[in-house]
Amino acid sequence: MKLFDILLASLLPSLILIHLLVAPYSKVEESFNLQATHDILAHGTPLDAIGSTLRANYDHFEFPGAVPRTFTGAVLLAGLSQPLLAIVGWEHAQFIVRALLGLFNAVALLRFKNGVDKAFGRDAGKWYILLQASQFHVIYYASRTLPNMFAFGLGTLALRELLPMPTSQPTSKAIGKRHRLAIYLFVLAGVIFRSELALLLFTNLAYLIIGRSITLETIIWAGFQSAFIALASSVPIDSYFWQKPIWPELAGFFYNAIQGKSSDWGTSPFHAYFTSFLPKLLLNPSILLVLIPLACYLPSTRKAAAGLLAPTLSFVAIYSLQPHKEARFIIYAVPPLTACAAIAAAYITRRRTRSLLYQLLHLGLIICVVASLSASLLMLAISSLNYPGGEALWRLHNLATQDGQHSGQVRVHMDVLSCMTGVTRFQQDHPSPPFLALAESLWQAPKPAKSQHPHAAGLGSPRPTLFHYDKTENETTLLDPAFWTQFDYVLTAEPERVIGSWRVVATVFAYAGIEVLRPGQTPTALLPPEGRIWESMRARVNDGHDVHATEASAPASAAGHDADAAKAATDPLGPYYAALRDVGRRDITGGWWVGPRMEPKISILRWEPRV
């Protein structure tokens, strides 16, 4: 294998891990599988007192979600990650779990690339890698524990088996074997993880039937076999963890498709997948505007393009009848559409020495790939700023462990936004730093060790801090002043609603759009004053009226409790970005600047009663 081929093969897994490193936190859509994996690793699978043990320790009994989800993926991730965690340590557990899923999807994409090599030539395979790597969504989502991304890997492996075989290989027996394997993989993915894969299977089988490439007997026999295996895997596992007989994906299909409840999360017009979501997923405009039309036009590539496009676009068209639309619902369409574009790109590459037109087209493709990759990395940088809950939890741990007032026990309340934007059970155990903080620490010289807290004097090491978390959402409970007295810290997007006497010790910012700064204009990322005492802004009293109080300034010494933290908070994107922006505005752009606009999202409050 040539060096260039080795570099290409490593491109996809490397980019997936880089995306994971830059954006290490997760959001609520990914939380079920991540929390389930944590609980299996941390609490095991009990054989005695099963129901009471699971209910006492597992997150899904407290937060079951709108529909039940399968534990199959979580069981696999937990089993694969356990020996690795014994080596690297529990503090890296969330990274390891997500990296395993990301690498599985990378292997699936590389297997698909291998199929493109054999079906359409090595040049097409190389272009497939370049086009796929320069897209954002597949790479970014590959390591995210969404049910769609468990299904994506299986679906991509299935699509690989449906690619044409080289003419030098035997046809009937080999092709039949590959078709059966594709059905097995599609059915496993659809029955266990995401039911929409059944629709993609249907459109592909319909195309094969029309082309007389497969028989109904093969479809029925392979379908029944794989459905039995899938149900025999999902139902016992999920019935154990949910403590009732259940097939989660059937329950989810009934809730979303039959009852139409998915529309509660918003609707989009029929054409949205074609006019909005697919262009975003493919990112590179040359794929839709030049390469796919060219593949359909050229006589030598027309048949191959039809085999990739017809079933894929039919899947997207039929699925467009569902009012609620998200990019992840059709992400399985990306590999075959990208492969179709790669066929045309390879055609141009093979003819680049024949005429000036092909040379210009080839150069244009390279420019588009570089531009798309640059845009993808920019989107990654912006996306990493959308997880204030994860960063807030990390900062809270740093603050609390340096605070000697809690005798090793810290009680924390986290509001809904915090839990939806990065807080997981893995993070509760060992919070990961945001990428900006990690990068800054790598560039800075090591700092001398800080002195121990007074209560740890004379001991070999400070006493470990134990954190106890509360995620109460009940509005009546939150309006009870006595409820808040049990906490030392609060993570909240609405500090004015927290009852009692609290100090804002830190504020976490998040991305809020693009900001255009004019000469002389100050960036809007300004923190509210640190070190202030919050009196209750809304407290419910016995007569049912609201009591409004005002803020009171903290003593000057408290207001300057941490000058370094206050300075860093002034520039939420970090000192290096701030220096780059300031130098650029001063020396290059004449005061103009375009960059991310950051707004305060989550306040970290510390209980500090008046004396």
Side-chain angles (χ1 to χ4, degrees):
M1 183 180 290
K2 297 180 180 179
L3 178 61
F4 182 70
D5 293 329
I6 295 174
L7 293 175
L8 275 183
S10 63
L11 189 58
L12 288 177
S14 298
L15 283 173
I16 288 172
L17 293 179
I18 289 171
H19 280 61
L20 171 56
L21 183 65
V22 174
Y25 303 129
S26 61
K27 285 195 175 180
V28 64
E29 297 89 349
E30 311 154 42
S31 64
F32 176 83
N33 282 296
L34 205 54
Q35 306 287 53
T37 305
H38 169 278
D39 293 342
I40 294 168
L41 286 168
H43 306 295
T45 52
L47 299 179
D48 297 320
I50 297 174
S52 59
T53 303
L54 292 178
R55 287 183 173 85
N57 296 298
Y58 274 60
D59 180 81
H60 68 288
F61 284 108
E62 185 178 1
F63 301 99
V67 294
R69 291 298 182 191
T70 181
F71 272 80
T72 306
V75 168
L76 292 172
L77 285 181
L80 292 171
S81 61
Q82 192 166 26
L84 297 175
L85 296 179
I87 299 172
V88 302
W90 184 258
E91 62 269 23
H92 304 295
Q94 180 165 312
F95 181 89
I96 293 297
V97 167
R98 287 188 52 192
L100 285 172
L101 177 60
L103 291 175
F104 164 68
N105 283 316
V107 169
L109 290 169
L110 289 174
R111 283 286 297 163
F112 187 82
K113 180 263 183 190
N114 176 262
V116 172
D117 279 344
K118 294 180 178 180
F120 311 119
R122 295 179 63 83
D123 286 337
K126 292 175 182 178
W127 273 110
Y128 171 78
I129 287 287
L130 293 173
L131 293 172
Q132 185 72 77
S134 62
Q135 297 166 6
F136 171 70
H137 287 85
V138 168
I139 306 298
Y140 184 74
Y141 279 109
S143 68
R144 300 194 168 272
T145 52
L146 294 158
N148 310 77
M149 298 319 296
F150 289 93
F152 176 83
L154 293 173
T156 302
L157 291 173
L159 289 169
R160 190 264 184 200
E161 301 304 323
L162 296 179
L163 293 173
M165 294 183 67
T167 55
S168 60
Q169 295 187 12
T171 54
S172 58
K173 186 176 181 179
I175 290 176
K177 182 179 178 180
R178 292 182 62 184
H179 286 170
R180 288 192 296 273
L181 179 57
I183 294 172
Y184 292 154
L185 293 168
F186 267 131
V187 173
L188 285 172
V191 169
I192 297 176
F193 295 111
R194 290 296 303 187
S195 57
E196 65 259 22
L197 265 296
L199 183 57
L200 184 57
L201 172 61
F202 168 77
T203 57
N204 275 278
L205 291 180
Y207 184 82
L208 292 175
I209 290 173
I210 292 173
R212 297 184 178 181
S213 300
I214 195 172
T215 64
L216 285 176
E217 181 183 359
T218 299
I219 295 173
I220 294 172
W221 181 240
F224 272 116
Q225 283 182 318
S226 52
F228 177 81
I229 294 172
L231 289 173
S233 302
S234 176
V235 173
I237 291 174
D238 294 310
S239 299
Y240 168 86
F241 283 105
W242 286 100
Q243 285 295 287
K244 60 182 179 181
I246 192 170
W247 175 11
E249 198 51 34
L250 178 62
F253 174 79
F254 181 78
Y255 180 87
N256 289 312
I258 305 302
Q259 293 184 315
K261 295 293 186 178
S262 62
S263 298
D264 295 344
W265 280 266
T267 61
S268 301
F270 175 85
H271 59 78
Y273 277 141
F274 292 99
T275 58
S276 178
F277 291 100
L278 274 180
K280 290 178 181 178
L281 284 169
L282 298 172
L283 189 60
N284 189 331
S286 68
I287 292 177
L288 285 175
L289 298 179
V290 177
L291 295 176
I292 289 180
L294 182 62
C296 295
Y297 172 77
L298 295 170
S300 61
T301 61
R302 188 178 300 157
K303 182 178 179 180
L308 292 165
L309 292 178
T312 303
L313 296 181
S314 298
F315 159 72
V316 176
I318 298 172
Y319 204 40
S320 295
L321 296 173
Q322 184 74 4
H324 178 63
K325 296 176 175 63
E326 294 184 35
R328 60 190 174 100
F329 295 162
I330 60 165
I331 199 168
Y332 327 103
V334 172
L337 294 179
T338 305
C340 182
I343 296 172
Y347 180 91
I348 293 171
T349 298
R350 289 191 293 267
R351 288 159 178 78
R352 67 185 183 278
T353 60
R354 298 184 183 181
S355 70
L356 178 62
L357 175 61
Y358 284 117
Q359 289 179 8
L360 293 175
L361 286 174
H362 185 258
L363 178 61
L365 290 179
I366 295 174
I367 293 174
C368 282
V369 167
V370 173
S372 295
L373 180 60
S374 302
S376 175
L377 295 176
L378 178 61
M379 294 169 70
L380 168 63
I382 291 175
S383 297
S384 70
L385 305 176
N386 279 322
Y387 300 88
E391 181 178 349
L393 186 60
W394 172 74
R395 294 182 67 178
L396 165 67
H397 271 243
N398 286 345
L399 290 167
T401 52
Q402 296 171 17
D403 187 350
Q405 302 179 13
H406 304 297
S407 301
Q409 300 282 335
V410 177
R411 298 189 176 277
V412 183
H413 171 77
M414 301 180 291
D415 72 351
V416 173
L417 182 64
S418 301
C419 295
M420 292 178 64
T421 57
V423 171
T424 67
R425 289 194 165 192
F426 283 119
Q427 293 297 109
Q428 290 172 199
D429 295 338
H430 291 281
S432 303
F435 180 73
L436 287 174
L438 179 63
E440 183 178 344
S441 67
L442 293 175
W443 280 98
Q444 291 177 343
K447 296 181 179 179
K450 295 184 178 180
S451 60
Q452 295 179 348
H453 296 305
H455 73 272
L459 300 179
S461 61
R463 189 187 315 176
T465 303
L466 298 179
F467 289 84
H468 306 277
Y469 300 96
D470 173 80
K471 303 176 184 178
T472 299
E473 300 177 15
N474 184 274
E475 191 69 21
T476 302
T477 303
L478 296 177
L479 290 173
D480 181 3
F483 167 77
W484 298 99
T485 60
Q486 62 184 304
F487 302 114
D488 302 300
Y489 288 90
V490 172
L491 303 184
T492 179
E494 300 176 294
E496 70 277 6
R497 299 192 62 191
V498 179
I499 300 172
S501 182
W502 299 85
R503 185 189 304 279
V504 180
V505 293
T507 303
V508 177
F509 285 67
Y511 177 75
I514 297 297
E515 180 176 58
V516 179
L517 298 178
R518 296 176 173 82
Q521 184 179 359
T522 303
T524 58
L526 299 176
L527 275 172
E530 298 269 344
R532 308 179 84 174
I533 298 293
W534 283 91
E535 294 289 355
S536 171
M537 296 295 288
R538 189 179 75 171
R540 186 74 63 183
V541 295
N542 291 334
D543 61 2
H545 293 87
D546 287 337
V547 175
H548 297 274
T550 59
E551 303 174 36
S553 298
S557 59
H561 65 93
D562 192 337
D564 292 336
K567 182 179 179 181
T570 306
D571 296 299
L573 290 172
Y576 298 110
Y577 175 83
L580 175 65
R581 180 190 61 215
D582 295 342
V583 170
R585 295 182 73 185
R586 184 185 67 232
D587 300 336
I588 301 175
T589 65
W592 290 87
W593 188 260
V594 178
R597 178 166 57 89
M598 305 293 288
E599 289 184 353
K601 287 293 184 181
I602 295 177
S603 296
I604 303 176
L605 310 183
R606 182 175 63 199
W607 174 257
E608 199 156 317
R610 288 188 173 279
V611 293

